[in-house]
Every structure is written in C-alpha cells, then in structure tokens.
Amino acid sequence: MHSSHMYHDATTNFKKHGIKFDNVSFDLKKMMKGKDKAVRGLTGGIEFLLKKNNVDYIKGFGTLESPNQVNVALNDGSGTHTVNAKNIIIATGSEPSPLPTAPVDNDSGKIVDSTGALSLKEVPEKMVLVGGGVIGLEMGSVWSRLGAKVTVVEFLDRICPGMDLELTKMFQKTLKSQGFEFRLEQKVTATEVTDNGVKVTVEPSAGGEAEVLDADVVLVSTGRRPFTDNLGLDKVGIPTNKFGQIEVDESFRTVVPSVYAIGDCCPGPMLAHKAEEEGIAAVEYIAGMKGHVNYDAIPGVIYTHPEIASVGKTEEELKDAGVNYKKGTFPFSANSRARANEDADGMVKMLADADTDQILGIHIMGPNAGEMIAEGVLGIEYGASSEDIGRTCHAHPTLSEAFKEAAMAVYDKPIHF
Ligand SMILES: Cc1cc2nc3c(=O)[nH]c(=O)nc-3n(C[C@H](O)[C@H](O)[C@H](O)COP(=O)(O)OP(=O)(O)OC[C@H]3O[C@@H](n4cnc5c(N)ncnc54)[C@H](O)[C@@H]3O)c2cc1C
C-alpha cells in the first residue's frame, strides 16, 4: 500500500510542491519483493519471540480431541503430535467468504481473494471488486494507483456498511475522483473465465436487466467468515452460532471450561488489535487475574489515501438507540498543516452525549487518520468529554489540531472555521 501510494504521489502530487520528474515508472517485481521482505521480517520476528519466551511452535493442523487434548497433524507429513494442556485457546481466525457466482482461483490470478490480490504478477487494466468493504477498497486502491481501472460492484446502496454514513459518502466521492467507478445496489450473478480475462454478469440487487462487464481480474471481497470447521468442536461439545462463530463469556471461556476462544473466530470486529486484546485478556483470566476488553474503544482503519479511521458509535447507531447527541466537525481544508501539505481532503467528526458531553464516537477521513484516531481511542477509554479534548493543547501546525477543533465544534465552535 505504501509503495503504490509513493508512486501515486510522485506521479500526481509532487508537482504541486514544485518537484518535477521525467518518466516516473515502477518495478512491480521489486515492489512485491519489498512486501514479501516486510512480511517475512515481521512473521519471522514473531517466531523469534515465541522461541525467546519458551513457547513450543508445532507446525500443523490442530483438532480438539478432548477438553484438554489437541492432536496436531504435522505439516511435514511426519504424523500426529499430541499436546495435553490444562487450558486451550482457540484462535483459528477467519477465511474469505466464498461467492458461488465467482469461484476464487488465486493461482490463475483471474478471480482472486485478498491473498491473490496481494500477489498479482501484473497490473490489471480493468479490475472488478465484488464488494465495497474495507479489504476490497484497500486492495482496489493499490491497483488503481498503479494504473488499473477499478469498478466496485456492491449489493447495498452504500460502501463500507457499518461505518459512519456521512463519512463513507465523502469517502466514496474521493475514491470516485481517484478513478473508481461504483455500481451500488448491484450484484454479480455469474462469472466466466476466458483466455483474456473474466466476463462478469451484474444485475440490480432487487433483480432486473443483466449487464456484462469485462475484467482482467475480479477481486472477491464480500467479507470473511470464522474458521471453525473441522476443529473437533463437536467432539468436545462446543457449538457455533448461526455465523459459525464460537460464543464465549466475558472471560473468553467457551461452554467447555478449559477451552477459551479469541479473535476472528469469535463475535466482534475482525481486527488484529481486537484479537490481540482478547488474547491478552483470556490469558489473564487463565492466570487467575482479571482481563478486560472495551469494545467501545476498538478503532477501525481503512488504509487508503486519505485514510478512514473511527472509534465508538456512528451517528446512525446513536440515532437508532435514541441517544441525545451533539456533533462537531472540522474539515482538513481549514487545517494549516493539511493545506500546506496540499493534502486536505476529509474531516474530523466527533459525537458526544448532549447532556454529559462524554465522547461517544469519532470518525475521521484524512491524511494519517489511522494515527490520529489513537487520541480518540484514549479519550473514549478514559471517558473524556469533547471539552476535555478541546481544552487540551495540540501542537501547531499539526493535523491533530483538526481533532481539537472538531471537539471545540461539539461544545462551542472551532476557531478556524
Ligand atoms: C487482506 C486483509 C487485510 C487486513 N487488514 C487488517 C488491518 O489493516 N488491520 C487489522 O486490524 N486487521 C486486518 N485484517 C484482519 C486481521 O488479519 C484479523 O482480524 C486477525 O488476523 C485475526 O487474528 P486471529 O488471531 O483471530 O486470526 P489469524 O490472524 O487469522 O490467525 C489464525 C491462525 O490460525 C491458523 N489456524 C487455523 N486453523 C488452525 C488449526 N486447526 N490448527 C492450527 N492452526 C490453525 C491459521 O493458519 C492462522 O495462522 C485484515 C485481514 C485481511 C484478510
């Protein structure tokens, strides 16, 4: 993402700063090598940490044999390894939800999921995203910046369902200006892989006349589902809910007292930091301590440019719950740093309880929104009011001043707008 952003910046934005290039080009193989190196380094780092902390790493597919036993079919084919344990934590994650009308074959590179989209051998001329959610838009942005014409087919009447509507409408406009085409309220009813690419049949979600789109690559990004099949859950008596998730209590314990579960295979947002918080809390409970995850303070970020970041309730959620709220917004077009950087698309939006002024939700579209949201997460975690943030000194000139001014807009008014 960062590599494609740098290329895009060089070709579109540098000239605004008086920096001129001739013949800017990129080497996709080298970009991919950089990505692979980063992944290798980071995952290798975790393997090192396991070793350093005396954690045995058994490489294989584990299944529950009993409440205190896991059998592991070893990856190297050398048989089965049995592990007996006082406690077991299931953390098997999730997998892409399949779409019968667009079967994924990552090897062919024509109909791919996010894994395939991270390893395309060349930039597709035309790319169709099936699903306008976080992963699709992030991957689509990468290939769009490198030159692909990206079309998003989305079943609903909006992108990024579940996120703040006002912000996602603004986001869609921005993506449109970057070259994205949106086909909302449409669904993919068939795909046909040809020698040259894929023919994608779409029709209105409510039914109607079909149309065929040509694509070089189709990215199926219709969501993910918990990975809970073939784990031996039945054998030990752990049920899954209608979404295939493992239900746990507040201490992350399943119905079998010795077995815990955390992360994507459980209810809640499918995010790495949510899984991490749950993992720590579950271990604290196992160790006889108290653990806690505040689900109102889990940030979500879309790593496009500009970034989208949010924490807490959306305006729609507050309306639905009948909460009396106040709202403050501040556009980056009025923020000195964003203007000087020529990168001023977006805004900070803050929602607070109308009676107590306690912050209930923060939604940001803008450069570095993913870093800026940390301040909001901390505020929500500590029960801050918008006035607390508005009266906190923020360095000038920084993007985070927009954050302060949005807070001021909640309880009074911003200075610079
Ligand atoms: C393309 C993409 C981009 C994403 N971007 C972000 C992001 O920017 N930020 C973010 O917070 N989240 C992101 N996510 C989501 C994030 O990756 C997940 O929420 C997170 O990894 C969940 O952690 P987990 O521990 O529950 O599962 P995982 O990280 O999926 O780990 C589960 C592991 O268990 C292994 N496993 C499964 N079954 C067995 C078995 N029976 N025996 C042994 N091992 C098994 C799997 O191979 C896997 O390694 C992204 C996901 C995708 C697909």
Side-chain angles (χ1 to χ4, degrees):
M1 285 176 186
H2 184 61
S3 306
S4 66
H5 173 62
M6 288 207 296
Y7 169 70
H8 188 254
D9 241 6
T11 51
T12 56
N13 296 326
F14 278 20
K15 54 178 172 276
K16 292 184 201 161
H17 296 272
I19 303 168
K20 289 189 190 165
F21 286 101
D22 285 325
N23 300 322
V24 183
S25 62
F26 63 90
D27 178 341
L28 185 60
K29 261 194 188 157
K30 200 159 179 187
M31 266 187 195
M32 289 295 183
K33 263 193 183 161
K35 184 256 305 177
D36 292 339
K37 186 175 161 221
V39 172
R40 239 189 348 266
L42 294 171
T43 52
I46 290 174
E47 212 166 323
F48 167 78
L49 286 175
L50 291 178
K51 218 180 240 167
K52 193 175 148 199
N53 289 285
N54 296 322
V55 177
D56 290 334
Y57 178 16
I58 302 156
K59 298 184 181 178
F61 190 89
T63 46
L64 292 166
E65 186 58 30
S66 78
N68 300 99
Q69 187 180 324
V70 175
N71 285 345
V72 187
L74 297 169
N75 282 353
D76 63 11
S78 64
T80 304
H81 183 93
T82 297
V83 187
N84 292 300
K86 186 173 163 201
N87 294 107
I88 295 166
I89 301 179
I90 304 172
T92 48
S94 58
E95 59 182 350
S97 300
L99 184 68
T101 53
V104 165
D105 177 6
N106 283 330
D107 292 334
S108 78
K110 286 184 175 167
I111 302 182
V112 298
D113 58 21
S114 55
T115 305
L118 283 162
S119 306
L120 297 180
K121 302 274 182 297
E122 54 189 51
V123 180
E125 211 173 291
K126 291 181 192 157
M127 185 173 204
V128 169
L129 309 184
V130 191
V134 177
I135 290 177
L137 296 176
E138 286 179 344
M139 293 292 132
S141 274
V142 168
W143 295 106
S144 162
R145 290 170 193 153
L146 297 179
K149 168 81 194 126
V150 175
T151 303
V152 182
V153 181
E154 167 57 54
F155 187 84
L156 299 174
D157 59 357
R158 57 167 296 183
I159 58 168
C160 302
M163 298 197 79
D164 191 84
L165 185 60
E166 185 182 10
L167 212 80
T168 50
K169 275 186 179 164
M170 192 184 246
F171 182 40
Q172 189 186 338
K173 238 188 210 168
T174 292
L175 290 174
K176 234 175 168 175
S177 73
Q178 292 175 5
F180 274 61
E181 186 188 328
F182 288 93
R183 288 168 167 268
L184 301 184
E185 295 185 271
Q186 295 197 16
K187 60 185 176 187
V188 170
T189 53
T191 45
E192 185 198 341
V193 175
T194 65
D195 289 344
N196 303 325
V198 188
K199 297 216 168 288
V200 186
T201 309
V202 295
E203 59 179 66
S205 302
E209 209 170 305
E211 198 182 330
V212 176
L213 309 177
D214 285 318
D216 301 296
V217 173
V218 174
L219 166 60
V220 181
S221 47
T222 45
R224 295 179 68 79
R225 63 181 185 190
F227 186 79
T228 49
D229 284 346
N230 305 316
L231 300 181
L233 296 178
D234 293 347
K235 208 171 206 171
V236 296
I238 298 175
T240 51
N241 66 18
K242 63 178 178 183
F243 304 110
Q245 296 159 327
I246 302 169
E247 300 271 1
V248 289
D249 65 13
E250 64 288 347
S251 60
F252 304 96
R253 210 173 222 164
T254 67
V255 292
V256 174
S258 59
V259 182
Y260 292 68
I262 59 117
D264 280 11
C265 64
C266 298
M270 287 184 167
L271 291 168
H273 41 279
K274 176 260 194 186
E276 179 183 356
E277 296 298 322
E278 289 183 341
I280 291 170
V283 169
E284 285 174 333
Y285 276 110
I286 290 171
M289 300 154 67
K290 283 264 181 263
H292 179 64
V293 178
N294 178 0
Y295 290 96
D296 282 331
I298 307 267
V301 181
I302 308 181
Y303 297 95
T304 45
H305 192 89
E307 289 180 347
I308 307 289
S310 58
V311 61
K313 303 283 185 234
T314 64
E315 202 170 344
E316 293 69 50
E317 283 171 332
L318 294 179
K319 274 183 192 155
D320 287 349
V323 176
N324 193 11
Y325 66 92
K326 297 180 289 184
K327 164 178 153 179
T329 59
F330 191 81
F332 282 103
S333 58
N335 171 269
S336 53
R337 180 64 171 270
R339 285 180 69 119
N341 288 358
E342 300 262 15
D343 196 2
D345 198 8
M347 68 169 179
V348 180
K349 168 173 173 176
M350 203 173 282
L351 303 163
D353 187 290
D355 301 320
T356 65
D357 193 33
Q358 182 172 359
I359 298 170
L360 302 173
I362 300 168
H363 308 277
I364 310 174
M365 175 174 125
N368 261 358
E371 300 287 348
M372 207 181 299
I373 200 69
E375 181 179 359
V377 180
L378 199 66
I380 288 189
E381 188 67 49
Y382 279 84
S385 65
S386 72
E387 193 169 350
D388 287 332
I389 304 273
R391 291 189 183 277
T392 301
C393 184
H394 286 64
H396 173 78
T398 60
L399 297 170
S400 66
E401 284 175 293
F403 196 88
K404 174 188 166 98
E405 298 231 43
M408 293 173 100
V410 176
Y411 68 88
D412 194 344
K413 57 182 181 182
I415 296 174
H416 296 98
F417 194 62

